[in-house]
């Protein structure tokens, strides 16, 4: 009976592959572990800790620039680890070719501080070299298409209780690039008392990293 159970366990591991858990962020700006040697059929599951990070695929030569058509978790906010269980993003290993990832959080320039990860790095293309290039290239200072965002402001009148009371607030209208590479247009109503003072200012992805 024990031999049968062991045989089934080995078959299940072979059929479904291994799952590797990678902690993203937390106390330090790191992926833990920093790299994984995986086989075809294995799964890499990123678990996002505080505060707001991504797992974004890049190339080896440009560690902090999203690879065209590459994988991207998008931002996974977990402010002070208050999301339980934490958000996750999984990647299925379909070949033994190296895969490279970074955090695209611009607030604090996480990639430029070495927040990168590798699947199946090699001797010629090592994790250490990848991380070193990320630091040298200063993180997400470069973008894939050179798209820029612009914003204009207009004034609107808000009616609040009691009836007749009004105040004005700016609407910021901007255009840029979404995580999937598509063009996006957004409008932000910044009304007094509707958002915590200072929250989100200068942040990328809604919350600081």
């Amino acid at each position: 009976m024990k031999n049968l159970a062991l045989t089934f366990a080995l078959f299940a591991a072979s059929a479904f592959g291994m799952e590797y858990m990678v902690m993203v962020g937390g106390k330090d700006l790191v992926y833990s572990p920093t790299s994984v040697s995986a086989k075809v059929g294995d799964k890499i599951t990123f678990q996002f800790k505080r505060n707001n990070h991504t797992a974004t695929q890049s190339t080896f030569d440009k560690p902090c620039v999203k690879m065209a058509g590459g994988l991207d978790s998008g931002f996974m906010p977990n402010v002070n680890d208050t999301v339980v269980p934490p958000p996750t993003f999984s990647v299925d290993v379909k070949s033994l070719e190296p895969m490279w990832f970074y955090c695209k959080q611009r607030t604090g320039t996480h990639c430029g501080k070495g927040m990168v990860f590798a699947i199946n790095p090699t001797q010629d293309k090592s994790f250490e070299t990848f991380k070193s290039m990320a630091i040298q290239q200063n993180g997400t200072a470069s973008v894939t298409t050179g798209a820029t965002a612009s914003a204009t402001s207009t004034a609107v009148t808000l009616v609040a209780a009691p009836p007749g009371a009004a105040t004005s607030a700016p609407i910021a209208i901007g255009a840029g690039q979404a995580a999937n590479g598509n063009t996006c247009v957004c409008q932000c109503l910044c009304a007094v008392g509707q958002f915590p003072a200072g929250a989100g200012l200068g942040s990328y992805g809604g919350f600081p990293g």
Side-chain angles (χ1 to χ4, degrees), residues 36-53:
V36 167
S37 296
K39 297 179 180 179
V40 174
D42 289 348
K43 177 183 291 188
I44 313 298
T45 298
F46 296 95
Q47 192 174 82
F48 294 87
K49 311 295 283 184
R50 65 177 185 186
N51 278 322
N52 194 11
H53 305 285

Side-chain angles (χ1 to χ4, degrees), residues 108-130:
T109 317
H110 291 188
C111 184
K113 292 180 179 176
M115 191 172 182
V116 294
F117 173 79
I119 301 174
N120 294 333
T122 65
Q123 184 174 357
D124 293 334
K125 294 183 176 181
S126 68
F127 171 80
E128 289 75 17
T129 301
F130 180 63

Side-chain angles (χ1 to χ4, degrees), residues 14-163:
S14 175
F16 299 106
M18 296 286 292
E19 182 176 16
Y20 295 89
M21 301 298 296
V22 178
M23 301 296 107
V24 184
K27 182 179 179 181
D28 300 307
L29 299 180
V30 296
Y31 295 84
S32 182
T34 56
S35 66
V36 167
S37 296
K39 297 179 180 179
V40 174
D42 289 348
K43 177 183 291 188
I44 313 298
T45 298
F46 296 95
Q47 192 174 82
F48 294 87
K49 311 295 283 184
R50 65 177 185 186
N51 278 322
N52 194 11
H53 305 285
T54 76
T56 304
Q57 189 176 8
S58 72
T59 62
F60 178 77
D61 294 328
K62 295 184 177 180
C64 302
V65 178
K66 183 179 182 296
M67 185 178 79
L71 301 173
D72 189 358
S73 67
F75 284 96
M76 295 287 193
N78 188 358
V79 180
N80 295 324
D81 289 325
T82 53
V83 180
V84 181
T88 60
F89 175 73
S90 295
V91 173
D92 294 322
V93 179
K94 299 180 180 179
S95 79
L96 296 180
E97 290 296 315
M99 298 179 70
W100 312 97
F101 292 84
Y102 72 102
C103 177
K104 67 180 182 182
Q105 176 60 259
R106 294 181 182 176
T107 306
T109 317
H110 291 188
C111 184
K113 292 180 179 176
M115 191 172 182
V116 294
F117 173 79
I119 301 174
N120 294 333
T122 65
Q123 184 174 357
D124 293 334
K125 294 183 176 181
S126 68
F127 171 80
E128 289 75 17
T129 301
F130 180 63
K131 178 179 178 180
S132 177
M133 290 193 300
I135 295 172
Q136 291 173 4
Q137 294 177 22
N138 197 28
T140 49
S142 300
V143 295
T144 52
T145 64
T148 58
S150 60
T152 58
S153 295
T154 61
V156 296
T157 299
L158 302 178
V159 178

